[in-house]
Amino acid sequence: METFALYLLKSALWIAGFALVYVLFLQNERYFVLNRIFLVGGLLAAIFLPFYTWHYVVELNTESIVTIAGDPQQPVKDAAVTTNSFSVQKALLFLYLAGVLFMVFRTLKSTIPVLRVIFKAKVYRYGSIKLVRDAKFPASFSLVSYVFVHPSIDEPELSEILKHEQEHIRQKHWIDLLLFGILRTIQWFNPIVWFYGRLIRQNHEYLADKHALQSSSNPGVYRAALLNQIVGGSIIPLTSSFNFSFNKKRFNMMNHTIQSPLRKLKLLLIVPVFAGILYAFAVPEYKNVSATEVQNDSIQETKILVGNITWEGNSVYTTAELNQALGLKEGDVIVQRQLDKLLHEGILNDLYLDKGYLFYNLESVPMNNTDGTTDFTFKIFEGNLYKFGKIEIEGNKQASSEDILESLPIQTGDIFSKEKLVLSHHKIASSGIFVPEDVAMGIHPEPSLNEVNIVFTVVEK
């Protein structure tokens, strides 16, 4: 459920980003083909790009997390999650599926009568156009290679309609509308999607107008037909689809205006949208770099005369607090192994873990000076603030999980704390109910939620 909800959120952001760029910068441009490519690109992005998540690597020292309880983490079984038979999530899911089914029903209801007419009515050939004249449809429209018009439309009006609808067919605008129909079904609750569909249809009309006017022997007649449609007069009672979004702006768009080709570069304004959305949903891939990884022994034992110490990236603690926790000052002599222990296994590490910064990381950048000293710049990656997520007990048969969890110093929603987690482990182990040496603790971070799920596995005496 959460995964699909995230998909819908990403999809909504993609379509909103494309709509915003189009309305602000491209809607009034006369590069209709490029605009069509842009709009279709928005549909494809909203349908397919939510499946893609950008991953980036973050090197972390998680050795202390693995050994928080003193012993290596033991594998635990997935905890059984009990839920109520009815929940808000289920209600929202049922509501969403009802909307999807309604959209499918609505599409079938409007399409099936058209298909029936195609199979039953007489079809006239006009080049590549298959013309159907049927009184069931007062408004003229096209579907793939078929054009439907009312029998009362006379030949001059019919000629203008066919020129227009032929462009819809030739340019295969139905493909755009099919993609839009898919997205509209998925995002039926999103008003931006419905608005986006109007932008697509509007651009289709601009494209059809442009080419229909080029092939028309009398462009004035074409414009008069459009004007007569919007007025709704009885002389030329046109109600075809090519009067969609008809207004003064559409007349203006028919005028040939020379524009600088450089204005096409406005399409590149979508690049920041791509970067922003991909970055917003990027998922870090944490690479565990142990502080005791193999290094050259001679380097480990080389004495270092500490020079100036600076810090970068710290916001949780001040420079003075970090220097005090590090316990290192200018003029001290230290070897690399001791420095690594101070940085990754000392008080500094506990400070951040007790504040909820589960994936805090620290990088040491040395700078050798000519006087034999070494300046150090310590770059801190604090990461996101984590909270305790699900806290569960497994293996207990007689003892109540609720009673055990209520007695612990950690609760769901609390800021993650290594100190409190260790106390919780010791409290369970010393409760007298379980075998102390068999009390194991599973720590399962959920980076997408900034939560840490905890599972205590016990064996009753």
Side-chain angles (χ1 to χ4, degrees):
M1 178 67 181
E2 290 82 1
T3 302
F4 185 65
L6 182 61
Y7 170 87
L8 292 178
L9 175 61
K10 289 182 178 180
S11 178
L13 287 177
W14 278 115
I15 203 67
F18 272 83
L20 182 65
V21 172
Y22 184 83
V23 170
L24 293 180
F25 304 105
L26 302 174
Q27 190 175 18
N28 295 323
E29 299 296 333
R30 288 175 168 80
Y31 301 113
F32 303 132
V33 174
L34 285 178
N35 282 358
R36 181 190 179 189
I37 293 172
F38 181 90
L39 291 169
V40 173
L43 293 176
L44 294 174
I47 294 173
F48 297 108
L49 284 185
F51 291 109
Y52 172 75
T53 301
W54 175 41
H55 294 265
Y56 60 95
V57 177
V58 177
E59 292 186 352
L60 304 170
N61 173 25
T62 56
E63 186 178 60
S64 58
I65 297 174
V66 176
T67 58
I68 278 178
D71 292 322
Q73 201 174 275
Q74 297 183 14
V76 297
K77 298 179 181 178
D78 292 333
V81 180
T82 58
T83 59
N84 296 326
S85 58
F86 187 81
S87 64
V88 175
Q89 281 190 351
K90 288 182 179 179
L92 292 175
L93 179 61
F94 290 148
L95 177 63
Y96 173 78
L97 293 177
V100 171
L101 291 175
F102 174 77
M103 293 303 301
V104 173
F105 171 76
R106 183 173 178 265
T107 302
L108 293 175
K109 184 180 179 182
S110 61
T111 304
I112 291 176
V114 177
L115 297 178
R116 287 176 178 172
V117 171
I118 289 176
F119 288 115
K120 293 181 180 180
K122 185 177 181 180
V123 178
Y124 302 89
R125 289 278 184 172
Y126 281 78
S128 60
I129 295 178
K130 300 172 185 176
L131 178 63
V132 178
R133 309 194 69 160
D134 195 290
K136 292 181 180 178
F137 305 109
S140 301
F141 61 93
S142 61
L143 177 65
V144 190
S145 60
Y146 290 88
V147 176
F148 298 81
V149 297
H150 195 275
S152 63
I153 295 178
D154 57 24
E155 286 303 319
E157 295 167 358
L158 177 62
S159 176
E160 300 302 328
I161 291 175
L162 293 182
K163 289 174 185 176
H164 181 90
E165 298 300 335
Q166 185 177 27
E167 290 305 318
H168 285 306
I169 294 171
R170 186 183 66 82
Q171 298 178 40
K172 294 180 171 54
H173 290 166
W174 64 271
I175 296 177
D176 306 9
L177 298 178
L178 177 62
L179 290 172
F180 166 68
I182 294 172
L183 182 62
R184 182 180 58 187
T185 302
I186 297 173
Q187 292 267 347
W188 59 266
F189 55 88
N190 185 358
I192 297 178
V193 171
W194 294 82
F195 173 70
Y196 199 86
R198 184 174 181 84
L199 296 178
I200 291 174
R201 292 180 182 275
Q202 184 183 63
N203 187 64
H204 285 176
E205 300 311 317
Y206 293 159
L207 283 164
D209 286 341
K210 177 181 177 181
H211 292 278
L213 283 170
Q214 290 175 353
S215 62
S216 177
S217 59
N218 191 341
V221 175
Y222 183 84
R223 292 185 174 90
L226 283 174
L227 183 60
N228 188 72
Q229 281 189 344
I230 200 64
V231 171
S234 58
I235 299 176
I236 310 178
L238 293 175
T239 54
S240 68
S241 61
F242 81 117
N243 70 343
F244 175 85
S245 187
F246 179 71
N247 49 35
K248 182 179 178 181
K249 180 180 177 182
R250 184 167 170 188
F251 259 137
N252 293 335
M253 285 301 208
M254 293 181 191
N255 298 327
H256 180 67
T257 302
I258 299 176
Q259 292 180 312
S260 170
L262 293 177
R263 297 171 72 93
K264 297 178 181 180
L265 295 178
K266 287 185 177 182
L267 270 71
L268 297 179
L269 292 170
I270 197 60
V271 173
V273 174
F274 266 81
I277 297 177
L278 290 177
Y279 178 79
F281 293 97
V283 174
E285 291 183 347
Y286 297 102
K287 180 181 178 182
N288 183 20
V289 181
S290 172
T292 58
E293 285 183 343
V294 179
Q295 296 185 11
N296 189 293
D297 290 340
S298 62
I299 295 177
Q300 288 289 332
E301 298 301 328
T302 301
K303 292 183 179 181
I304 302 171
L305 180 60
V306 179
N308 186 44
I309 297 175
T310 57
W311 298 85
E312 293 181 2
N314 55 302
S315 62
V316 179
Y317 295 102
T318 64
T319 298
E321 290 172 327
L322 294 175
N323 281 329
Q324 182 179 359
L326 182 63
L328 194 65
K329 61 182 182 299
E330 186 175 355
D332 287 349
V333 178
I334 195 171
V335 297
Q336 186 65 45
R337 183 168 57 250
Q338 293 173 321
L339 178 61
D340 290 340
K341 190 170 183 179
L342 286 175
L343 295 178
H344 303 297
E345 300 176 25
I347 300 175
L348 272 175
N349 196 50
D350 291 343
L351 283 178
Y352 276 93
L353 286 175
D354 288 339
K355 283 285 189 178
Y357 293 90
L358 182 66
F359 290 113
Y360 144 84
N361 192 34
L362 177 59
E363 179 185 357
S364 172
V365 181
M367 177 69 72
N368 296 324
N369 300 319
T370 56
D371 60 359
T373 63
T374 300
D375 294 341
F376 285 95
T377 298
F378 298 121
K379 297 183 178 181
I380 291 179
F381 171 79
E382 294 175 340
N384 295 326
L385 183 67
Y386 276 71
K387 296 183 178 181
F388 286 109
K390 298 176 184 177
I391 305 174
E392 300 170 319
I393 307 291
E394 283 191 347
N396 55 312
K397 299 177 181 178
Q398 302 297 327
S400 168
S401 296
E402 289 76 12
D403 293 341
I404 299 171
L405 293 175
E406 286 180 1
S407 68
L408 300 181
I410 61 173
Q411 300 294 327
T412 297
D414 291 349
I415 300 298
F416 178 86
S417 169
K418 172 187 174 182
E419 181 182 8
K420 291 182 179 180
L421 189 57
V422 172
L423 288 174
S424 298
H425 179 270
H426 290 167
K427 190 176 183 68
I428 294 174
S430 61
S431 64
I433 304 173
F434 310 109
V435 179
E437 58 269 22
D438 289 336
V439 176
M441 181 168 59
I443 303 172
H444 307 285
E446 292 284 351
S448 62
L449 301 176
N450 291 336
E451 292 181 351
V452 185
N453 298 327
I454 307 297
V455 179
F456 294 101
T457 307
V458 298
V459 177
E460 293 181 341
K461 289 184 177 180

